[in-house]
């Protein structure tokens, strides 16, 4: 049993611990002449031959060595379930947390694993204490489930939602010379920028103070979902600190897509999916809470065995797991880590693949710097090529800050608002028709969404893609837009929507 436990723990981190940084290990282990793109996709990933994966940002995926590793863990769990859950799982989970903490440059005692970013946001918001006049602020580009969480919290606490408007309007007329969308010329002139976003937040805080209210916490993204744009999260974190507002970073698209140096950034809370951009099997996310704020997190959601009630007579926080052999790791002693070590019976084999994912990225791909550099370059070049094919534009601010280092790109579709009937625009019928045609007829999926009065498509760059894949997607979109202009989406009937 001891040997099995040891081997499981070490296999999770991909070998013995190294004192090198992840970037140094990546450069040292980079495969010579590694070539990303279609050949890389066919060699390392498990997509169907006829599927072109242009939407990595929604659900992510992982290469087959990590898939194989996870199934070896599932086999271990089913071969001897009691040994796996009572004895082997805890040290393996700790190993995953330690290698992740090294990547993020923070103590392992500040990071725990949760199923997804939405769970992490819920955990933070539902643990905070609120008084009358407290506001939970967020921007108009917030992820939908996060905004609904804020409103849900408002139903059972004194907190109230505070939405800060944010749109990134189109910059140019369409190819036919008409106005691209329905937004005003004033919105075009005053398009969002990183500076204006930070200024809008500060003005909101000061305005609420004049009303006798308090912005308790600001939720903001590293990179927003749709549209996929970089937020000034570094500047917003610093401004929160200056204004006495708690910073909650929704980094769902952070880890694996852009560098995150949390020891320098020092947010109050951060969550980030690992199954999107780090190649960890879904669903898996990191919740970072520095020690200064861990006292605010009283319980997991759902509450489980390690919870320690404060009221007299509350049961103790002992759980079902056996204590590990030997002395406890001093980096892992604390109520915060203990709570998240066992949150009911769950399949956490995906959590135990973090080390294997990072190992693949270092040894096969060349490390984070190489991967992220390729993604940013492909998103920019591929996005510009899509815009050229469609005769439109890529979304962004004048300085280019919102596209800086981002692996997703948003391209406006060549459809005017008046080309879509009021009925169709209202029920998003054309949008849904186009996306169903992609799935059923074309073997791909490109998210399409409304923003600032226009329809946009979001492409995701990844190491298994190249510019030719973006061009392929652009030609399909151009064809679909032509069919919408001819009202084909209205003629085909509801059964085809």
């Amino acid at each position: 049993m001891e040997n099995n436990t040891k081997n499981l723990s070490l296999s999770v981190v991909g070998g013995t611990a190294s004192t090198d940084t992840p970037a140094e290990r990546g450069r040292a282990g980079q495969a010579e002449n590694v070539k990303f793109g279609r050949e890389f996709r066919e060699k390392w990933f498990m997509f169907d031959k006829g599927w072109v994966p242009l939407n990595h940002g929604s659900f992510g995926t992982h290469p087959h060595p990590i898939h194989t590793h996870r199934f070896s863990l599932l086999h271990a769990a089913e071969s001897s379930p009691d040994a796996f859950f009572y004895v082997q799982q805890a040290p393996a989970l700790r190993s995953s947390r330690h290698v992740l903490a090294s990547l993020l440059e923070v103590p392992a005692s500040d990071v725990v694993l949760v199923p997804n970013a939405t769970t992490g946001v819920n955990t933070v918001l539902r643990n905070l204490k609120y008084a009358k006049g407290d506001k939970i602020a967020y921007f108009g580009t917030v992820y939908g489930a996060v905004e609904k969480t804020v409103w849900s919290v408002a139903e059972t606490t004194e907190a109230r939602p505070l939405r800060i408007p944010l749109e990134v309007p189109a910059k140019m007329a369409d190819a036919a010379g008409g106005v691209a969308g329905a937004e005003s010329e004033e919105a075009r002139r005053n398009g969002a920028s990183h500076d204006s976003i930070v200024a809008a937040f500060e003005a909101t805080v000061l305005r609420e103070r004049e009303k006798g209210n308090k912005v308790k916490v600001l939720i903001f993204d590293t990179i927003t979902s749709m549209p996929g744009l970089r937020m000034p999260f570094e500047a917003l974190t610093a401004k929160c600190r200056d204004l006495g507002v708690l910073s909650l970073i929704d980094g769902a698209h952070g880890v694996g897509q852009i560098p995150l140096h949390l020891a320098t950034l020092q947010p109050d809370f951060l969550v980030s999916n690992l199954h999107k951009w780090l190649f960890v099997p879904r669903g898996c996310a990191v919740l970072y809470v520095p020690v200064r704020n861990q006292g605010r997190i009283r319980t997991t959601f759902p509450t489980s065995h390690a919870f320690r009630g404060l009221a007299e007579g509350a049961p103790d926080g002992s759980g079902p797991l056996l204590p590990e052999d030997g002395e406890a790791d001093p980096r892992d002693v604390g109520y915060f880590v203990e709570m998240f070590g066992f949150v009911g019976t769950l399949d956490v084999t995906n959590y135990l693949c973090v080390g294997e994912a990072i190992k693949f990225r270092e040894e096969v791909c060349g490390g984070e710097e190489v991967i992220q550099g390729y993604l940013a370059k492909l998103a920019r070049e591929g996005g510009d090529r899509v815009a050229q094919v469609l005769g439109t534009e890529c979304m962004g601010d004048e300085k280019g800050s919102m596209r800086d280092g981002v692996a997703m790109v948003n391209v406006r579709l060549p459809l005017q608002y008046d080309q879509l009937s009021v009925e169709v625009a209202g029920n998003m019928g054309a949008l849904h028709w186009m996306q169903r045609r992609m799935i059923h007829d074309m073997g791909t999926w490109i998210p399409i969404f409304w923003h600032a009065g226009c329809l946009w498509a979001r492409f995701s760059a990844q190491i298994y893609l190249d510019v030719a894949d973006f061009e392929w997607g652009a030609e399909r979109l151009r064809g679909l837009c032509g069919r919408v202009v001819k009202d084909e989406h209205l003629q085909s009937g509801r059964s085809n929507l």
Side-chain angles (χ1 to χ4, degrees):
M1 182 64 65
E2 291 179 0
N3 289 336
N4 290 341
T5 303
K6 181 178 180 180
N7 291 338
L8 177 60
S9 177
L10 290 178
S11 69
V12 171
V13 298
T16 55
S18 169
T19 57
D20 296 334
T21 66
E24 289 169 342
R25 294 198 299 273
R27 286 191 292 270
Q30 180 178 0
E32 292 184 7
N33 301 320
V34 59
K35 184 179 180 181
F36 297 142
R38 188 170 304 179
E39 292 181 10
F40 198 86
R41 176 165 86 233
E42 293 174 354
K43 180 176 181 179
W44 292 107
F45 289 84
M46 300 173 285
F47 300 108
D48 287 342
K49 291 293 184 182
W51 184 261
V52 182
L54 296 170
N55 182 35
H56 186 93
S58 285
F59 305 108
T61 191
H62 53 276
H64 63 74
I66 299 167
H67 184 74
T68 300
H69 179 72
R70 187 189 180 192
F71 269 80
S72 71
L73 296 171
L74 286 168
H75 179 75
E78 299 310 316
S79 298
S80 50
D82 297 291
F84 184 87
F85 284 101
Y86 280 119
V87 179
Q88 298 171 0
Q89 179 175 295
L93 184 59
R94 183 182 68 247
S95 295
S96 280
R97 289 179 35 256
H98 281 205
V99 73
L100 179 61
S102 175
L103 178 69
L104 299 177
E105 302 174 357
V106 293
S109 56
D110 290 353
V111 297
V112 293
L113 296 172
V114 294
N116 49 56
T118 302
T119 300
V121 169
N122 269 264
T123 299
V124 173
L125 291 182
R126 296 184 188 280
N127 269 287
L128 295 179
K129 295 180 180 179
Y130 304 96
K132 187 174 180 61
D134 283 353
K135 299 294 182 73
I136 302 175
Y138 58 91
F139 291 97
T141 50
V142 68
Y143 186 61
V146 171
E147 182 174 32
K148 290 174 181 177
T149 298
V150 174
W151 283 84
S152 173
V153 169
E155 290 186 356
T156 57
T157 71
E158 296 278 9
R160 294 295 177 265
L162 181 59
R163 193 175 199 266
I164 303 173
L166 174 58
E167 283 191 342
V168 185
K171 299 186 292 295
M172 56 183 262
D174 65 13
V179 175
E183 77 280 0
S184 67
E185 286 301 318
E186 181 180 3
R188 293 174 182 275
R189 292 194 300 271
N190 300 320
S193 68
H194 278 186
D195 290 342
S196 68
I197 291 170
V198 177
F201 164 58
E202 182 173 20
T204 298
V205 172
L206 298 179
R207 185 165 56 248
E208 289 299 317
R209 286 178 181 174
E210 291 177 356
K211 298 177 182 179
N213 299 324
K214 174 185 177 182
V215 177
K216 172 89 172 185
V217 57
L218 174 69
I219 308 169
F220 53 98
D221 299 90
T222 50
I223 296 168
T224 55
S225 178
M226 281 193 281
L229 295 169
R230 186 184 186 113
M231 289 284 281
F233 62 91
E234 301 96 336
L236 285 169
T237 302
K239 184 60 68 175
C240 282
R241 196 155 43 239
D242 293 343
L243 295 172
V245 176
L246 292 172
S247 54
L248 170 50
I249 301 182
D250 178 3
H253 292 278
V255 175
Q257 182 173 173
I258 56 174
L260 287 176
H261 307 288
L262 299 190
T264 302
L265 184 62
Q266 279 294 298
D268 289 305
F269 310 95
L270 177 140
V271 297
S272 181
N273 287 319
L274 306 181
H275 59 255
K276 286 186 183 289
W277 298 97
L278 199 68
F279 298 154
V280 176
R282 34 182 121 79
C284 181
V286 60
L287 169 60
Y288 164 76
V289 182
V291 65
R292 69 178 185 274
N293 286 322
Q294 289 179 11
R296 299 177 184 268
I297 306 299
R298 291 282 306 127
T299 181
T300 58
F301 282 90
T303 299
S304 195
H305 291 282
F307 175 72
R308 302 173 190 167
L310 298 177
E312 184 177 354
D316 64 29
S318 61
L321 305 184
L322 296 178
E324 294 184 42
D325 295 334
E327 295 183 4
D329 189 325
R331 296 172 297 175
D332 276 334
V333 174
Y335 178 55
F336 175 66
V337 170
E338 184 182 350
M339 276 194 300
F340 289 86
F342 187 86
V343 189
T345 302
L346 296 171
D347 174 13
V348 297
T349 54
N350 43 357
Y351 294 7
L352 309 185
C353 293
V354 173
E356 201 70 16
I358 293 175
K359 179 183 176 183
F360 178 87
R361 293 166 71 85
E362 292 171 354
E363 296 184 358
V364 177
C365 306
E368 297 303 305
E369 186 177 340
V370 174
I371 294 171
Q372 293 168 11
Y374 181 85
L375 299 190
K377 184 174 185 290
L378 177 58
R380 186 167 293 276
E381 293 180 358
D384 290 346
R385 180 68 184 121
V386 172
Q388 184 180 20
V389 170
L390 296 180
T392 59
E393 64 184 299
C394 296
M395 185 186 297
D397 57 322
E398 291 186 1
K399 294 182 178 180
S401 301
M402 291 183 173
R403 292 181 66 186
D404 186 27
V406 178
M408 297 183 289
V409 61
N410 316 280
V411 185
R412 183 169 58 81
L413 297 184
L415 292 171
Q416 298 183 55
Y417 191 83
D418 58 8
Q419 288 177 322
L420 303 172
S421 70
V422 174
E423 177 186 358
V424 172
N427 65 21
M428 303 179 74
L431 184 156
H432 291 160
W433 178 85
M434 292 173 73
Q435 294 196 311
R436 288 188 180 276
R437 296 281 65 77
M438 284 187 232
I439 289 283
H440 296 307
D441 303 341
M442 301 174 182
T444 193
W445 176 275
I446 304 167
I448 300 173
F449 60 96
W450 283 101
H451 183 82
C454 300
L455 273 177
W456 302 81
R458 189 195 74 184
F459 284 71
S460 295
Q462 194 44 264
I463 57 176
Y464 51 66
L465 297 171
D466 51 36
V467 173
D469 293 309
F470 276 62
E471 292 175 336
W472 180 91
E475 293 292 350
R476 271 69 193 165
L477 282 176
R478 182 167 66 174
L480 284 173
C481 289
R483 294 166 69 181
V484 168
V485 170
K486 296 177 182 178
D487 289 337
E488 187 173 332
H489 58 293
L490 298 177
Q491 300 165 9
S492 57
R494 293 188 60 85
S495 62
N496 290 324
L497 292 178

